[in-house]
């Protein structure tokens, strides 16, 4: 039976709740206690009525502990913010470093809006209000360039650029960028202004605009919220997951914006690649264009994954980078379907052979200093590259090419859409892309499949229309 008593503390009134019962199997007396804090100012009668409900639930939970498979008596005073931290610990233990890093950023939003709520007090209204605010959230974008007064302020300060770097921690590269009239970040502008003792507005042209957050960013916050409350439900802290679609609206799912190169633009990029001087960058971007591999998969390729005789490439691992993990590391591919062997074209095989000759020369030149990682794409002394490096190489190629400023992932979309347009069976496209299910491919590229379907209908009409005319 559950009992409780009132105690007066300096911080306010609390109620000690005790549950005592005899365990049937061992005939042992079980005693469990917890403390309940009234959430706001209540009369004694209101507090006792609320405490009675809490005590009854606590008693039920304690008895379930000894008759069911539960880990521990729940903490009814835990907040959403504290629960978010517990969820993040579980993510760190069970999931990838990348997921954990995203989780760190995600729970900052959750803590900001609902972190102070006790988890058992949260209602669907609270969650819906949180989601609606997320949908309206905007981020501030600063466009910052230097005024002519910046150079004068630096001259008056009486320090060289080297002294600014060594004595005040000013990044020389960013300083040169600013003096050239190019855009810089707000953090650097504020740091330099503080060192020079001048307000940023007097040294920089600062334009401030607001933009909605990417739909994917907001969706990740909502997903994390749902996961946190699912964890709370499993631990019997709440009766239902009020963050699920059963209780709240997630809003209209935005149409996925896929950026890609059309066939003519893809051909132009190919021509740019063929004339490019840096064979390492050329080969890496060509692999992206002609295979549709993800950037981590490209960074994780090793020479043993290439079969020159059979013209195949095998994806067995992903190269990753994380500050938390201490830099570059390797993990398994994204999904089970991501481990795959695909056939590659003669053009790509010949480029890889040419690149292998250059690669072996580099390894010989570095001698004992060479880090033998066996990776295809490495830093100058053999150490695996950061996957972001391939993206940087592409951006550099596109700078004066006249082509759209697309991302490396856009080349993956380009590769897949070109296959669909060419009539390649969807099962083959999905397999080459590393999608575990064909439905994933059809969902993402539904527009292109529809276009291809219309083209097929037109082709059939061209075949049979002459026959109809004769009839």
């Amino acid at each position: 039976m559950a009992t409780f008593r009132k105690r007066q503390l300096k911080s306010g009134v609390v109620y000690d709740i005790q549950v005592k019962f005899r365990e049937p199997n061992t005939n042992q007396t079980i005693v469990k206690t917890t403390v309940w804090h009234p959430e706001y100012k209540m009369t004694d009668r209101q507090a006792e009525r609320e405490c009675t409900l809490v005590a009854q639930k606590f008693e039920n939970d304690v008895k379930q502990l000894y008759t069911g498979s539960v880990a521990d008596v729940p903490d009814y005073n835990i907040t959403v913010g504290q629960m978010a931290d517990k969820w993040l610990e579980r993510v760190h233990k069970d999931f990838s470093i990348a997921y954990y890093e995203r989780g760190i950023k995600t729970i900052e939003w959750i803590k900001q809006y609902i972190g102070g709520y006790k988890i058992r007090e949260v209602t669907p209204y609270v969650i819906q209000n949180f989601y609606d605010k997320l949908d309206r959230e905007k981020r501030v974008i600063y466009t910052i360039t230097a005024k002519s007064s910046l150079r004068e302020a630096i001259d008056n300060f009486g320090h060289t650029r080297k002294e600014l770097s060594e004595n005040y921690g000013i990044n020389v590269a960013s300083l040169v960028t600013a003096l050239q009239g190019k855009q810089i970040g707000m953090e650097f502008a504020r740091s330099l202004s503080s060192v020079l003792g001048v307000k940023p507005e007097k040294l920089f042209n600062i334009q401030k605009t607001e933009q909605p957050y990417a739909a994917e960013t907001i969706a990740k916050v909502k997903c994390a919220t749902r996961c946190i409350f699912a964890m709370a439900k499993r631990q019997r802290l709440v009766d239902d997951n009020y963050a699920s679609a059963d209780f709240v609206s997630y809003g209209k799912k935005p149409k996925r914006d896929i950026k890609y190169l059309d066939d003519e633009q893809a051909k132009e990029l190919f021509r740019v690649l063929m004339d490019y001087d840096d064979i390492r960058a050329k080969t890496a971007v060509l692999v992206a264009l002609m295979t549709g591999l993800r950037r981590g998969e490209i960074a994780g390729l090793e020479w043993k994954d290439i079969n020159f005789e059979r013209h195949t490439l095998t994806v067995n691992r992903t190269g990753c980078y994380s500050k938390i993990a201490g830099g570059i590391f390797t993990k398994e591919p994204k999904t089970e379907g991501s481990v795959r062997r695909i056939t590659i074209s003669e053009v790509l095989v010949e480029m890889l052979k040419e690149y292998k000759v250059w690669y072996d020369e580099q390894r010989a030149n570095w001698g004992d200093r060479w880090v033998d990682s066996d990776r295809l794409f490495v830093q100058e002394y053999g150490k695996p590259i950061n996957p972001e490096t391939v993206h940087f190489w592409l951006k550099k190629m596109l700078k004066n090419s006249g082509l759209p400023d697309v991302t490396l992932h856009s080349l993956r979309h380009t590769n897949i859409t070109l296959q669909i347009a060419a009539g390649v069976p969807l099962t083959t496209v999905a397999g080459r892309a590393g999608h575990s299910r064909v439905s994933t491919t059809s969902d993402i590229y539904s527009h292109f499949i529809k276009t291809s379907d219309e083209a097929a209908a037109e082709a059939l009409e061209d075949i049979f229309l002459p026959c109809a005319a004769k009839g």
Side-chain angles (χ1 to χ4, degrees):
M1 180 178 177
T3 60
F4 60 84
R5 67 184 181 88
K6 175 181 175 182
R7 274 194 302 136
Q8 182 69 48
L9 302 178
K10 289 183 179 180
S11 58
V13 173
V14 299
Y15 286 81
D16 294 321
I17 301 174
Q18 182 185 84
V19 171
K20 182 186 293 186
F21 74 101
R22 193 171 295 279
E23 205 278 322
N25 292 330
T26 63
N27 206 31
Q28 180 183 3
T29 299
I30 305 297
V31 179
K32 292 288 182 180
T33 61
T34 189
V35 177
W36 175 70
H37 305 261
E39 319 308 334
Y40 51 88
K41 192 171 182 180
M42 299 179 178
T43 65
D44 287 346
R45 187 171 181 179
Q46 288 174 330
E48 288 181 5
R49 185 163 53 244
E50 180 70 15
C51 189
T52 299
L53 296 175
V54 174
Q56 288 174 352
K57 182 166 178 52
F58 180 66
E59 180 179 9
N60 290 336
D61 290 336
V62 169
K63 288 181 177 179
Q64 284 184 28
L65 176 66
Y66 290 90
T67 58
S69 56
V70 291
D72 204 351
V73 179
D75 177 5
Y76 293 108
N77 293 312
I78 191 170
T79 65
V80 174
Q82 291 168 333
M83 198 71 203
D85 288 332
K86 287 181 176 292
W87 170 77
L88 193 59
E89 289 175 9
R90 176 59 59 182
V91 168
H92 194 194
K93 179 181 178 183
D94 295 343
F95 297 94
S96 69
I97 292 292
Y99 187 23
Y100 174 65
E101 285 186 315
R102 289 197 300 270
I104 292 174
K105 297 177 182 178
T106 299
I107 68 171
E108 290 177 4
W109 295 66
I110 297 169
K111 288 182 176 181
Q112 176 187 345
Y113 284 101
I114 59 173
Y117 281 90
K118 291 193 175 177
I119 196 104
R120 65 184 182 83
E121 293 179 334
V122 175
T123 64
Y125 174 82
V126 172
I127 298 293
Q128 189 66 68
N129 189 44
F130 169 41
Y131 284 0
D132 291 344
K133 285 181 178 178
L134 281 178
D135 291 335
R136 296 191 298 269
E137 189 74 52
K138 293 185 178 181
R139 59 194 178 109
V140 177
I141 306 296
Y142 290 101
T143 303
I144 304 171
T145 55
K147 293 181 177 179
S148 57
S149 56
L150 175 61
R151 192 178 296 274
E152 182 182 348
I154 293 174
D155 292 340
N156 292 337
F157 192 63
H159 286 72
T160 64
R161 295 176 185 178
K162 183 178 180 181
E163 289 171 339
L164 282 171
S165 173
E166 294 178 349
N167 299 334
Y168 299 95
I170 298 299
N171 186 288
V172 174
S174 297
L175 180 58
V176 171
T177 299
L179 292 173
Q180 289 175 344
K182 298 178 182 178
Q183 287 189 28
I184 57 170
M186 175 57 84
E187 185 177 347
F188 174 77
R190 286 173 175 163
S191 298
L192 182 57
S193 299
S194 176
V195 170
L196 298 176
V198 183
K199 291 183 178 180
E201 295 78 11
K202 293 186 178 294
L203 301 177
F204 300 97
N205 299 305
I206 303 175
Q207 291 183 336
K208 177 181 173 182
T209 57
E210 289 186 344
Q211 293 181 1
Y213 279 89
E216 185 178 337
T217 300
I218 300 302
K220 287 175 181 176
V221 178
K222 294 178 180 179
C223 179
T225 306
R226 186 172 66 249
C227 292
I228 289 167
F229 276 83
M231 182 177 178
K233 183 179 179 181
R234 289 194 298 271
Q235 296 184 5
R236 297 177 298 108
L237 292 167
V238 294
D239 294 328
D240 290 293
N241 183 351
Y242 291 141
S244 70
D246 292 335
F247 297 93
V248 294
S249 170
Y250 278 74
K252 186 178 180 180
K253 188 176 181 180
K255 186 178 179 181
R256 188 163 185 172
D257 184 22
I258 296 177
K259 293 183 179 180
Y260 64 99
L261 300 176
D262 61 29
D263 54 348
E264 289 301 321
Q265 291 169 334
K267 291 175 184 176
E268 179 59 29
L269 176 58
F270 181 83
R271 287 190 284 268
V272 169
L273 286 170
M274 292 301 99
D275 294 335
Y276 203 70
D277 292 333
D278 186 343
I279 190 171
R280 180 177 51 163
K282 173 198 295 190
T283 308
V285 175
L286 188 65
V287 167
L289 179 63
M290 303 197 74
T291 66
L293 265 60
R294 304 173 179 95
R295 64 180 180 179
E297 293 172 342
I298 295 172
L301 285 174
E302 296 182 0
W303 285 111
K304 61 176 170 284
D305 301 324
I306 310 298
N307 190 316
F308 290 105
E309 293 182 2
R310 296 187 177 182
H311 288 201
T312 61
L313 177 154
T314 305
V315 177
N316 286 313
R317 72 199 67 77
T318 298
C320 304
Y321 175 84
S322 167
K323 289 183 179 179
I324 294 176
I328 298 167
F329 66 99
T330 303
K331 69 169 190 173
E332 294 179 354
K334 187 176 181 181
T335 65
E336 186 176 339
S338 295
V339 178
R340 60 200 186 277
R341 179 183 289 111
I342 63 174
T343 302
I344 55 178
S345 68
E346 180 70 31
V347 172
L348 184 54
V349 170
E350 291 303 314
M351 177 58 71
L352 287 168
K353 287 180 179 178
E354 182 182 343
Y355 174 61
K356 185 67 164 66
V357 173
W358 176 88
Y359 183 97
D360 290 340
E361 288 176 355
Q362 295 301 306
R363 181 167 55 186
N365 291 338
W366 279 88
D368 293 339
R369 292 177 294 169
W370 180 266
V371 178
D372 196 7
S373 64
D374 196 45
R375 292 289 170 87
L376 259 72
F377 304 110
V378 294
Q379 300 175 40
E380 60 179 5
Y381 51 89
K383 188 176 179 181
I385 60 167
N386 183 329
E388 188 66 23
T389 303
V390 188
H391 178 77
F392 169 77
W393 287 338
L394 172 64
K395 289 292 184 181
K396 193 174 179 181
M397 291 176 189
L398 294 173
K399 193 170 184 179
N400 299 312
S401 68
L403 288 166
D405 186 25
V406 294
T407 66
L408 189 70
H409 202 73
S410 298
L411 299 192
R412 176 172 168 82
H413 292 318
T414 299
N415 180 275
I416 293 172
T417 55
L418 289 178
Q419 289 182 68
I420 293 172
V424 176
L426 203 57
T427 51
T428 302
V429 176
R432 289 179 64 87
H435 291 155
S436 298
R437 297 182 297 272
V438 176
S439 60
T440 302
T441 314
S442 61
D443 288 346
I444 297 173
Y445 302 96
S446 57
H447 170 71
F448 304 99
I449 294 169
K450 182 179 179 182
T451 303
S452 182
D453 177 60
E454 291 170 353
E458 291 175 3
L460 288 170
E461 185 175 352
D462 291 340
I463 293 171
F464 294 111
L465 189 59
C467 299
K470 290 179 181 179

mmCIF file of all heavy atoms in Angstrom, residues 117-130:
data_model
loop_
_atom_site.group_PDB
_atom_site.id
_atom_site.type_symbol
_atom_site.label_atom_id
_atom_site.label_comp_id
_atom_site.label_asym_id
_atom_site.label_seq_id
_atom_site.Cartn_x
_atom_site.Cartn_y
_atom_site.Cartn_z
ATOM 1 N N TYR A 117 10.037 21.207 -18.991
ATOM 2 C CA TYR A 117 8.833 20.471 -18.607
ATOM 3 C C TYR A 117 9.203 19.138 -17.977
ATOM 4 O O TYR A 117 10.116 18.460 -18.440
ATOM 5 C CB TYR A 117 7.964 20.177 -19.830
ATOM 6 C CG TYR A 117 7.112 21.324 -20.316
ATOM 7 C CD1 TYR A 117 7.598 22.219 -21.258
ATOM 8 C CD2 TYR A 117 5.811 21.492 -19.858
ATOM 9 C CE1 TYR A 117 6.819 23.260 -21.733
ATOM 10 C CE2 TYR A 117 5.024 22.534 -20.321
ATOM 11 C CZ TYR A 117 5.527 23.412 -21.252
ATOM 12 O OH TYR A 117 4.757 24.445 -21.716
ATOM 13 N N LYS A 118 8.474 18.746 -16.947
ATOM 14 C CA LYS A 118 8.610 17.374 -16.465
ATOM 15 C C LYS A 118 7.941 16.468 -17.498
ATOM 16 O O LYS A 118 6.865 16.769 -18.002
ATOM 17 C CB LYS A 118 7.976 17.228 -15.095
ATOM 18 C CG LYS A 118 8.773 17.987 -14.037
ATOM 19 C CD LYS A 118 8.380 17.637 -12.648
ATOM 20 C CE LYS A 118 9.322 18.363 -11.659
ATOM 21 N NZ LYS A 118 8.956 18.118 -10.266
ATOM 22 N N ILE A 119 8.600 15.370 -17.786
ATOM 23 C CA ILE A 119 8.179 14.546 -18.915
ATOM 24 C C ILE A 119 6.747 14.061 -18.763
ATOM 25 O O ILE A 119 6.002 13.981 -19.732
ATOM 26 C CB ILE A 119 9.155 13.350 -19.121
ATOM 27 C CG1 ILE A 119 8.958 12.724 -20.507
ATOM 28 C CG2 ILE A 119 8.997 12.314 -18.050
ATOM 29 C CD1 ILE A 119 10.006 13.083 -21.479
ATOM 30 N N ARG A 120 6.313 13.794 -17.541
ATOM 31 C CA ARG A 120 4.965 13.270 -17.340
ATOM 32 C C ARG A 120 3.904 14.352 -17.429
ATOM 33 O O ARG A 120 2.711 14.051 -17.460
ATOM 34 C CB ARG A 120 4.872 12.549 -15.976
ATOM 35 C CG ARG A 120 5.049 13.445 -14.785
ATOM 36 C CD ARG A 120 5.043 12.638 -13.490
ATOM 37 N NE ARG A 120 5.171 13.500 -12.333
ATOM 38 C CZ ARG A 120 4.160 14.142 -11.780
ATOM 39 N NH1 ARG A 120 2.949 14.013 -12.280
ATOM 40 N NH2 ARG A 120 4.349 14.897 -10.717
ATOM 41 N N GLU A 121 4.333 15.628 -17.456
ATOM 42 C CA GLU A 121 3.372 16.729 -17.559
ATOM 43 C C GLU A 121 3.100 17.140 -18.996
ATOM 44 O O GLU A 121 2.164 17.894 -19.264
ATOM 45 C CB GLU A 121 3.911 17.954 -16.820
ATOM 46 C CG GLU A 121 4.007 17.797 -15.330
ATOM 47 C CD GLU A 121 4.560 19.045 -14.678
ATOM 48 O OE1 GLU A 121 5.298 19.799 -15.335
ATOM 49 O OE2 GLU A 121 4.240 19.249 -13.507
ATOM 50 N N VAL A 122 3.915 16.662 -19.918
ATOM 51 C CA VAL A 122 3.783 17.093 -21.307
ATOM 52 C C VAL A 122 2.513 16.505 -21.927
ATOM 53 O O VAL A 122 2.231 15.317 -21.804
ATOM 54 C CB VAL A 122 5.015 16.667 -22.124
ATOM 55 C CG1 VAL A 122 4.833 17.010 -23.598
ATOM 56 C CG2 VAL A 122 6.253 17.355 -21.584
ATOM 57 N N THR A 123 1.757 17.362 -22.607
ATOM 58 C CA THR A 123 0.521 16.965 -23.271
ATOM 59 C C THR A 123 0.682 17.117 -24.782
ATOM 60 O O THR A 123 1.621 17.763 -25.251
ATOM 61 C CB THR A 123 -0.640 17.850 -22.806
ATOM 62 O OG1 THR A 123 -0.374 19.206 -23.218
ATOM 63 C CG2 THR A 123 -0.805 17.796 -21.289
ATOM 64 N N PRO A 124 -0.246 16.552 -25.549
ATOM 65 C CA PRO A 124 -0.181 16.767 -27.007
ATOM 66 C C PRO A 124 -0.189 18.243 -27.385
ATOM 67 O O PRO A 124 0.445 18.634 -28.367
ATOM 68 C CB PRO A 124 -1.439 16.050 -27.513
ATOM 69 C CG PRO A 124 -1.685 14.973 -26.515
ATOM 70 C CD PRO A 124 -1.290 15.558 -25.197
ATOM 71 N N TYR A 125 -0.883 19.060 -26.596
ATOM 72 C CA TYR A 125 -0.921 20.502 -26.882
ATOM 73 C C TYR A 125 0.482 21.103 -26.798
ATOM 74 O O TYR A 125 0.877 21.918 -27.641
ATOM 75 C CB TYR A 125 -1.852 21.209 -25.896
ATOM 76 C CG TYR A 125 -1.826 22.717 -26.039
ATOM 77 C CD1 TYR A 125 -2.581 23.354 -27.017
ATOM 78 C CD2 TYR A 125 -1.020 23.498 -25.203
ATOM 79 C CE1 TYR A 125 -2.535 24.735 -27.164
ATOM 80 C CE2 TYR A 125 -0.972 24.872 -25.343
ATOM 81 C CZ TYR A 125 -1.726 25.486 -26.337
ATOM 82 O OH TYR A 125 -1.671 26.848 -26.472
ATOM 83 N N VAL A 126 1.253 20.713 -25.785
ATOM 84 C CA VAL A 126 2.609 21.227 -25.609
ATOM 85 C C VAL A 126 3.484 20.827 -26.796
ATOM 86 O O VAL A 126 4.236 21.646 -27.340
ATOM 87 C CB VAL A 126 3.228 20.709 -24.291
ATOM 88 C CG1 VAL A 126 4.705 21.073 -24.190
ATOM 89 C CG2 VAL A 126 2.475 21.272 -23.091
ATOM 90 N N ILE A 127 3.388 19.566 -27.204
ATOM 91 C CA ILE A 127 4.188 19.083 -28.331
ATOM 92 C C ILE A 127 3.778 19.788 -29.619
ATOM 93 O O ILE A 127 4.632 20.220 -30.404
ATOM 94 C CB ILE A 127 4.036 17.561 -28.505
ATOM 95 C CG1 ILE A 127 4.539 16.823 -27.253
ATOM 96 C CG2 ILE A 127 4.807 17.089 -29.733
ATOM 97 C CD1 ILE A 127 6.017 16.933 -27.023
ATOM 98 N N GLN A 128 2.463 19.906 -29.853
ATOM 99 C CA GLN A 128 1.993 20.549 -31.077
ATOM 100 C C GLN A 128 2.450 22.008 -31.144
ATOM 101 O O GLN A 128 2.875 22.495 -32.203
ATOM 102 C CB GLN A 128 0.464 20.491 -31.163
ATOM 103 C CG GLN A 128 -0.084 20.957 -32.507
ATOM 104 C CD GLN A 128 0.316 20.038 -33.638
ATOM 105 O OE1 GLN A 128 -0.124 18.896 -33.704
ATOM 106 N NE2 GLN A 128 1.155 20.525 -34.548
ATOM 107 N N ASN A 129 2.383 22.686 -30.010
ATOM 108 C CA ASN A 129 2.839 24.072 -29.955
ATOM 109 C C ASN A 129 4.328 24.162 -30.279
ATOM 110 O O ASN A 129 4.782 25.066 -31.001
ATOM 111 C CB ASN A 129 2.558 24.647 -28.568
ATOM 112 C CG ASN A 129 2.798 26.142 -28.503
ATOM 113 O OD1 ASN A 129 2.402 26.887 -29.403
ATOM 114 N ND2 ASN A 129 3.455 26.593 -27.444
ATOM 115 N N PHE A 130 5.097 23.200 -29.773
ATOM 116 C CA PHE A 130 6.538 23.125 -30.047
ATOM 117 C C PHE A 130 6.783 22.906 -31.537
ATOM 118 O O PHE A 130 7.585 23.606 -32.164
ATOM 119 C CB PHE A 130 7.138 21.998 -29.211
ATOM 120 C CG PHE A 130 8.546 21.614 -29.564
ATOM 121 C CD1 PHE A 130 9.513 22.566 -29.859
ATOM 122 C CD2 PHE A 130 8.920 20.274 -29.591
ATOM 123 C CE1 PHE A 130 10.807 22.208 -30.180
ATOM 124 C CE2 PHE A 130 10.211 19.902 -29.908
ATOM 125 C CZ PHE A 130 11.146 20.867 -30.213
#
